[in-house]
Amino acid sequence: MHVRCLIVFSLFLGLTSLSAFLHMKNKNYRFSKSHEELLIPPTSCHAKTNVMFLKTHKTASSTVLNIMFRFAERYNLTVALPADQLYHLGYPRTFVAQFVEGFETIGQNYNIMCNHLRFNPLEVKKVMAANTFYFSILRNPIRLLESSYIYYKSIVPAFKNTKNVNEFLASPTKYYHPADYRANIYAKNIMWFDFGYNNNAEDDTKYIQAVLEEIEQNFHLILIADYFDESMILLKNTLCWDLDDVIYFKLNARSQETVQTLTPESEEQIKAWCSLDWKLYLHFNQSFWRRIEETIGLEVLEKEVDLLRTRQKELMETCLSEQEAVRKDHIRNKALLPFQSGAANILGYNLKQDLDNRTLRTCQKMVIPELQYMSYLYSVQHPHKRKKMGLPLLWTSVQEKVRAPVSN
């Protein structure tokens, strides 16, 4: 309840000042570019528009979610959003189709699914089309656990009574109680849990191999957050998107002073403590680079990554007053204030003040935090439903008709 109140408060601060033009259509607006520059796929390649992204925790997945939401708006796609006042798709409960708003009437006609859920393939397939592309993202468990410790310290029992992450890792079983699994999931093998498996399972070779094979059957692509730009190029090429579709500003990142330095002993302990996640990461890190070598090639990858970074820099110069993310207390427009959690200082952005409306709408969608964006899309797709968290929809022009989801 405490976490829910914090989220409501954070959303209230943000949404009460979000400007009315965010909803105005922008699907035809693209920053000036040549086709050669952005390496647009050949005409024989058709962009995949039925896509399911398993949003794992603390893996740069908020940035990917923003990419997915913007893509959905560009193509006027229907997003599978959390029902009623939920802000996740039932997480940490195992996903069922009823967690999606409108599932009873819309059925298997959603194009995009990307909010947090605990993966359950049979139920997801009830919502998504048969030709849906499934992908997810993993992160080195060493960096992931440190991030989780800071972000969830105030709500995870295993973290609460320790002064820092190294103290927790020196004797994790002293603080971690498997029986309290829902409260402690962020403290051990969280990626394994997000994929739908038991994060307290024994490290058994046959069991791990079976899980890895099952994940490979369920997902077409697994990205690696530690190589995010390379991941975006691989995603772009695999989905037949163009470069602007995967341009991003990093979201839900924290200020550097909140990062705790892990001792060498702690890093080794994480490999043992989160051994399921560690083996999951090692396996798909290898398959990630193998996929790149077999499809793009390292030389072309390097060129496309350079283009991505150049494009990102141009866009930041166009949109941002400081050219970088700023601390929460320096964010001028509270509509763009990210949800704050634990001891983390979640960074956000300030947009330039002299942008024309069309550019400003595009820039704003690049930086809007995930809870605000989700709430906005929910109000657009389900205009007759009560607004998320009881908040009014303040950004939709009264002259425009909001779009309800339709069957495809």
Side-chain angles (χ1 to χ4, degrees):
M1 182 61 69
H2 176 64
V3 175
R4 182 181 178 86
C5 290
L6 284 174
I7 290 173
V8 172
F9 180 68
S10 176
L11 275 173
F12 179 76
L13 286 176
L15 299 184
T16 50
S17 59
L18 194 59
S19 52
F21 49 70
L22 180 58
H23 176 61
M24 294 174 66
K25 292 302 180 186
N26 180 42
K27 59 185 292 185
N28 295 321
Y29 176 70
R30 317 293 280 164
F31 284 86
S32 60
K33 58 188 183 291
S34 69
H35 283 194
E36 292 78 14
E37 177 194 2
L38 293 190
L39 300 174
I40 293 177
T43 55
S44 60
C45 183
H46 299 287
K48 292 181 173 62
T49 54
N50 291 329
V51 183
M52 189 276 171
F53 169 57
L54 176 61
K55 188 178 187 294
T56 49
H57 285 80
K58 313 312 299 173
T59 59
S61 61
S62 294
T63 302
V64 180
L65 179 136
N66 179 272
I67 289 171
M68 300 298 295
F69 280 168
R70 285 187 284 117
F71 184 82
E73 287 203 273
R74 177 189 177 189
Y75 284 98
N76 203 35
L77 304 175
T78 302
V79 183
L81 296 169
D84 302 320
Q85 296 304 294
L86 295 177
Y87 46 92
H88 294 153
L89 289 168
Y91 195 90
R93 290 174 290 173
T94 300
F95 176 78
V96 294
Q98 283 70 27
F99 291 154
V100 174
E101 185 64 73
F103 167 73
E104 292 80 3
T105 56
I106 300 173
Q108 197 180 28
N109 286 296
Y110 295 89
N111 306 114
I112 301 292
M113 175 181 279
C114 54
N115 288 89
H116 275 308
L117 59 82
R118 189 178 186 208
F119 192 61
N120 182 358
L122 294 179
E123 289 293 310
V124 170
K125 288 176 181 177
K126 292 180 181 179
V127 176
M128 303 302 293
N131 66 345
T132 294
F133 182 91
Y134 289 77
F135 79 101
S136 189
I137 189 166
L138 301 174
R139 183 185 183 187
N140 188 320
I142 295 174
R143 305 299 160 219
L144 188 152
L145 185 63
E146 185 275 332
S147 178
S148 292
Y149 181 90
I150 299 300
Y151 196 83
Y152 298 112
K153 191 177 190 313
S154 61
I155 62 171
V156 172
F159 294 157
K160 278 184 178 180
N161 297 321
T162 58
K163 61 182 180 181
N164 58 48
V165 66
N166 291 306
E167 182 179 74
F168 167 73
L169 289 167
S171 183
T173 55
K174 178 180 176 181
Y175 308 101
Y176 181 90
H177 304 292
D180 195 8
Y181 85 97
R182 282 197 178 181
N184 274 328
I185 52 177
Y186 304 105
K188 186 178 185 182
N189 294 313
I190 179 59
M191 294 187 294
W192 199 264
F193 183 87
D194 287 349
F195 274 86
Y197 303 101
N198 178 11
N199 62 317
N200 293 306
E202 292 186 16
D203 187 340
D204 176 80
T205 301
K206 289 184 178 180
Y207 165 68
I208 291 174
Q209 186 59 36
V211 168
L212 294 177
E213 290 176 1
E214 190 168 77
I215 292 174
E216 287 180 334
Q217 291 172 3
N218 288 329
F219 289 85
H220 299 94
L221 180 65
I222 302 293
L223 304 177
I224 301 296
D226 310 86
Y227 305 99
F228 194 80
D229 288 347
E230 293 83 355
S231 290
M232 292 304 98
I233 297 303
L234 182 58
L235 181 69
K236 172 187 78 73
N237 287 14
T238 307
L239 294 180
C240 203
W241 293 3
D242 69 46
L243 191 63
D244 265 5
D245 290 324
V246 297
I247 294 295
Y248 68 92
F249 296 162
K250 186 184 294 185
L251 298 179
N252 209 37
R254 58 195 163 117
S255 58
Q256 190 61 34
E257 67 266 20
T258 67
V259 177
Q260 294 187 3
T261 302
L262 291 163
T263 65
E265 293 78 12
S266 290
E267 292 192 358
E268 291 303 312
Q269 176 70 294
I270 291 173
K271 295 177 186 179
W273 175 246
C274 297
S275 63
L276 303 179
D277 270 3
W278 180 246
K279 292 177 180 178
L280 177 71
Y281 174 78
L282 290 179
H283 177 84
F284 283 105
N285 184 48
Q286 288 183 341
S287 67
F288 171 80
W289 289 106
R290 187 167 58 248
R291 180 80 165 262
I292 284 177
E293 291 175 353
E294 293 173 351
T295 56
I296 305 173
L298 295 178
E299 186 176 347
V300 174
L301 174 71
E302 183 178 358
K303 292 178 181 179
E304 292 209 33
V305 166
D306 286 343
L307 285 175
L308 175 70
R309 291 171 178 169
T310 299
R311 200 83 190 106
Q312 182 188 56
K313 186 174 184 293
E314 292 174 354
L315 195 52
M316 294 184 85
E317 290 173 350
T318 298
C319 294
L320 306 179
S321 57
E322 289 91 356
Q323 309 298 302
E324 62 182 5
V326 299
R327 292 170 53 90
K328 62 182 180 182
D329 50 338
H330 293 161
I331 299 172
R332 293 190 297 268
N333 183 354
K334 298 309 178 185
L336 303 179
L337 178 70
F339 172 65
Q340 304 293 319
S341 177
N345 185 323
I346 306 300
L347 304 176
Y349 295 93
N350 288 319
L351 299 179
K352 287 184 176 179
Q353 300 299 303
D354 57 349
L355 301 174
D356 64 86
N357 281 350
R358 187 170 62 175
T359 302
L360 187 56
R361 289 194 297 275
T362 298
C363 293
Q364 196 165 34
K365 290 178 181 181
M366 295 288 296
V367 303
I368 182 172
E370 63 179 276
L371 291 179
Q372 286 95 313
Y373 209 157
M374 183 271 292
S375 183
Y376 156 66
L377 289 178
Y378 182 87
S379 297
V380 171
Q381 288 192 178
H382 307 284
H384 304 298
K385 292 282 186 176
R386 184 161 67 96
K387 308 303 182 288
K388 286 288 183 186
M389 311 303 171
L391 296 173
L393 175 62
L394 298 179
W395 49 62
T396 302
S397 169
V398 295
Q399 286 80 23
E400 294 178 352
K401 295 176 63 177
V402 291
R403 174 178 60 83
V406 294
S407 297
N408 295 297

